[in-house]
């Protein structure tokens, strides 16, 4: 039994309750609301997660320099950072809604409904979204508004009424009851979020289909990798990048899950014959293996957004030959299931290079995050203008008629990969013993090939490095150089010269708009 003689609550505690109570009510209502949404999304509408949809909308709306900054700072953790930001933003908004609802009802609820409306818009503006995908956001809106009303009504009396005075004694059971309600609401919400994640991670038909799918035997095997292509120096990137270590860059917050039995590729636009190809039809074609280096235009000089894999696929030029591009066409706009696009010059897809529709990567089906079931791989072009993952359409068109995802955001419409080189060992900032030190790295000039690589210590002469055997002009090439290191601090530089005689420029250019240039500098301490 509460004693009627309970001493009056101190003014500061009351003030704290008046502000934080409603904020807590808002956050608890939001957690319940997000939990309900994530769980429904996982069970019924995988593309309907409001947090991910708002995140995806943010990705499409932020200026390119913000995206660059986030990639530069967080690397491939960029998506986790974005999700956390959207979630934190939602909770802050919810706290505000709680405060507003306790003071000016029903404006807090109105805020929740507006946020829900934004989520619905975000979900429905995703390519490949269906009306049904809006269901989780609508549920979030309803649960959020109801829980906000319920929890604000349960704020301890001194706090919820506008006439409350700081000295009015607040009975403790009120507070306890409020904390119990918010605790249950928040707790169930969190459990539902976690449950939703478990459900969506575990039971996807796509994952199962991929696991059961064995790659067809290539009709044309790739030329064997020469034994001398990998110098096997500790710390040097292996000449073939394992799938798990392969960089990943895309705008997809949720990896598209495509059922290969319903997947088709359409060749449309300026063609004599529109072509539609099923996955089974693609697999029945004579597939070719080829080793090709893939790199991102956002890769800074010395960066690690580059990898080399053996791909299994079918030449795009042979499919285009079936479709018969009409005169005047000069570009293929490839489109992914989630609406992302890349503009590739038609001539690059029809010349003799190995531009392929790939289904395999290093001997296994494409990993989901690298484009399962089918992606493009085009030697010599940055990924943003060529390497469409989850590809579903090749639209034959013209550069003056259509523009692609990143071209619309300030990047150039064509993106040939620039000649570059990298030092892998020693790492920047390393301390090495004086005497013989092995320097090693990779260099690439796709579709041209590397003629030699040189290394410079401080302002000394350029020394010719030893080159590993080339796989082909379309892959990177390892190099090494033995340095007799004198004690002290030194700066190492590398530069490559390609088979056409072009020397890697020392002019420093940023990654925007068509790829970085300059020479990597690696500071080391000897002794
Ligand atoms: N569908 C889709 N494909 C995409 C992208 C994307 O955002 N969406 N990003 C491209 C970019 S910018 C690069 S660098 C490569 C990266 O391929 P990876 O993630 O397999 O390394 O994929 C390309 N293909
Ligand atoms: Mo990229």
């Amino acid at each position: 039994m509460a004693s009627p003689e309970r001493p009056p609550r101190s003014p500061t505690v009351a003030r704290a309750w008046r502000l934080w109570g409603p904020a807590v009510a808002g956050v608890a209502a939001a957690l319940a609301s997000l939990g309900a949404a994530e769980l429904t999304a996982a069970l019924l509408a995988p593309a309907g997660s409001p947090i991910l949809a708002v995140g995806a909308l943010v990705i499409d709306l932020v200026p390119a320099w913000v995206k660059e900054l986030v990639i530069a700072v967080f690397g491939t953790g960029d998506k986790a950072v974005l999700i956390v930001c959207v979630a934190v933003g939602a909770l802050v908004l919810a706290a505000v809604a709680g405060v507003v609802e306790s003071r000016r009802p029903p404006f807090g609820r109105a805020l929740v409904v507006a946020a829900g409306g934004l989520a619905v818009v975000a979900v429905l503006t995703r390519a490949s979204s269906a009306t049904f995908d809006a269901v989780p956001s609508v549920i979030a809106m309803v649960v959020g508004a109801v829980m906000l009303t319920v929890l604000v009504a349960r704020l301890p009396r001194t706090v919820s009424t506008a006439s409350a005075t700081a000295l009015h004694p607040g009975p403790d059971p009120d507070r306890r009851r409020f904390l119990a309600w918010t605790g249950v609401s928040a707790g169930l919400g969190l459990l539902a979020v976690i449950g939703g994640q478990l459900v969506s991670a575990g039971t996807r038909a796509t994952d199962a289909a991929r696991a059961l799918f064995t790659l067809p035997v290539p009709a044309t095997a790739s030329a064997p990798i020469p034994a001398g292509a990998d110098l096997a120096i500790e710390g040097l990137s292996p000449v073939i990048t394992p799938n798990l270590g392969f960089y990943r860059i895309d705008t997809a917050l949720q990896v598209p899950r495509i059922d290969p039995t319903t997947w088709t590729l359409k060749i449309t636009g300026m063609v004599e014959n529109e072509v539609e190809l099923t996955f089974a039809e693609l697999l029945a074609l004579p597939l070719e293996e080829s080793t090709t280096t893939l790199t991102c235009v956002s890769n800074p000089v010395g960066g690690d957004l580059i990898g080399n894999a053996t791909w299994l696929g079918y030449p795009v030029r042979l499919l285009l030959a079936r479709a018969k591009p009409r005169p005047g066409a000069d570009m293929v706009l490839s489109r992914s299931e989630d609406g992302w696009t890349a503009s590739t010059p038609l001539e690059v897809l029809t010349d003799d290079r190995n531009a392929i529709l790939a289904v395999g990567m290093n001997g296994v089906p494409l990993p989901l995050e690298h484009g399962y079931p089918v992606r493009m791989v085009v030697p010599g072009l940055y990924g943003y203008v060529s390497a469409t993952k989850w590809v579903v359409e090749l639209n034959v068109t013209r550069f003056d008629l259509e523009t692609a995802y990143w071209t619309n955001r300030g990047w150039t419409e064509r993106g040939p990969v620039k000649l570059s080189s990298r030092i892998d060992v020693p790492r920047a900032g390393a301390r090495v013993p004086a005497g013989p030190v092995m320097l090693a790295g990779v260099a690439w000039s796709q579709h041209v090939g590397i003629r030699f690589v040189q290394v410079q210590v401080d302002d000394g002469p350029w020394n010719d490095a030893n080159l590993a055997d080339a796989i082909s002009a379309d892959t990177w090439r390892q190099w090494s150089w033995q340095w007799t290191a004198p004690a002290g601090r030194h700066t190492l530089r590398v530069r490559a010269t390609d088979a056409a005689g072009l020397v890697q420029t020392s002019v420093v250019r940023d990654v925007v708009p068509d790829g970085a240039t300059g020479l990597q500098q690696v500071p080391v301490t000897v002794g």
Side-chain angles (χ1 to χ4, degrees), residues 76-444:
T76 24
D78 56 342
K79 297 198 172 67
V81 171
L82 175 67
I83 293 172
V84 168
C85 288
V86 172
V88 169
L91 295 181
V92 169
L93 188 73
V96 172
V99 174
V100 172
E101 181 67 16
S102 74
R103 300 189 180 170
R104 300 260 183 287
F107 287 108
R109 261 169 286 166
L111 209 54
V112 172
V113 171
L118 174 73
V120 170
V121 170
V123 169
L124 294 182
T125 50
R126 298 296 85 210
S128 79
S129 72
T131 318
F132 187 75
D133 293 328
V135 168
S137 299
V138 173
I139 290 183
M141 181 166 23
V142 173
V143 172
V146 169
M147 287 312 291
L148 187 67
T149 318
V150 168
L151 296 180
V152 166
R154 277 163 183 72
L155 278 167
R157 259 182 288 126
T158 47
V159 200
S160 59
T161 58
S163 63
T165 65
L167 290 174
H168 191 97
D172 252 5
D174 259 13
R175 279 202 242 164
R176 243 181 276 131
R177 195 173 52 137
F178 172 73
L179 290 177
W181 273 85
T182 50
V184 169
S185 168
L188 285 180
L190 276 177
L191 278 182
V193 168
I194 294 167
Q197 296 308 306
L198 292 179
V199 170
S200 49
T203 62
R204 288 287 169 71
T206 314
D207 310 39
R210 180 177 177 274
L212 291 175
F213 162 58
T214 30
L215 279 183
V217 177
T220 315
S222 77
I225 312 279
D230 203 320
L231 299 172
I233 293 170
E234 181 159 351
L236 171 62
S237 316
V239 72
I240 299 289
T241 314
N243 290 354
L244 278 179
F246 208 96
Y247 82 97
R248 173 186 169 200
I249 291 288
D250 54 60
T251 59
L253 264 188
Q254 240 173 342
V255 173
R257 310 263 164 168
I258 298 175
D259 177 355
T261 62
T262 59
W263 176 90
T264 65
L265 177 82
K266 292 192 176 74
I267 305 184
T268 60
M270 299 172 65
V271 292
E272 300 291 337
N273 316 309
E274 297 220 327
V275 170
E276 183 164 9
L277 193 75
T278 67
F279 193 52
E281 285 164 346
L282 175 61
L283 295 182
L285 294 170
L287 302 185
E288 300 180 7
E289 236 179 9
S290 50
T291 302
T292 297
T293 296
L294 188 63
T295 182
C296 182
V297 68
S298 300
N299 193 34
V301 172
D304 58 6
L305 299 178
I306 178 167
N308 185 41
T310 297
W311 310 91
L312 176 68
Y314 189 70
V316 178
R317 76 174 177 279
L318 297 181
L319 287 178
L320 285 173
R322 284 197 204 178
K324 295 200 175 62
R326 282 210 288 264
D330 64 0
M331 186 259 268
V332 172
L333 190 75
S334 51
R335 184 184 307 278
S336 69
E337 195 259 356
D338 63 347
W340 187 87
T341 49
S343 56
T344 312
L346 182 61
E347 71 198 33
V348 169
L349 296 178
T350 45
D351 69 14
D352 62 350
R353 78 184 77 196
N354 280 321
I356 57 166
L357 281 171
V359 296
M361 180 176 183
N362 291 330
V364 297
L366 283 180
L368 295 179
E369 61 276 19
H370 293 293
Y372 179 82
V374 183
R375 76 173 303 168
M376 295 228 299
V377 175
V378 181
L381 300 187
Y382 288 120
Y384 83 105
V385 286
S386 69
T388 307
K389 307 192 267 191
W390 316 290
V391 64
V392 293
E393 186 190 353
L394 303 181
N395 181 225
V396 179
T397 177
R398 299 175 51 90
F399 276 106
D400 57 13
L401 292 178
E402 302 268 8
T403 49
Y405 188 93
W406 286 116
T407 316
N408 295 334
R409 289 161 176 78
W411 300 80
T412 54
E413 63 180 17
R414 290 159 206 249
V417 174
K418 293 179 180 173
L419 162 65
S420 199
S421 57
R422 186 176 82 188
I423 300 174
D424 285 355
V425 269
R427 299 254 162 235
R431 175 178 282 274
V432 295
V437 171
M438 191 60 93
L439 271 54
V442 283
W444 58 93

Side-chain angles (χ1 to χ4, degrees), residues 446-497:
Q446 271 192 306
H447 221 58
V448 178
I450 291 295
R451 181 177 297 167
F452 50 88
V453 170
Q454 295 167 306
V455 181
Q456 184 188 44
V457 180
D458 302 322
D459 293 317
W462 286 98
N463 309 280
D464 285 348
N466 157 53
L467 280 184
D469 289 343
I471 300 177
S472 78
D474 289 330
T475 67
W476 65 10
R477 196 162 173 187
Q478 294 185 345
W479 59 265
S480 67
W481 183 66
Q482 167 111 11
W483 177 34
T484 310
R489 286 168 187 275
H490 301 285
T491 301
L492 310 172
R493 287 187 194 81
V494 63
R495 79 173 181 203
T497 298

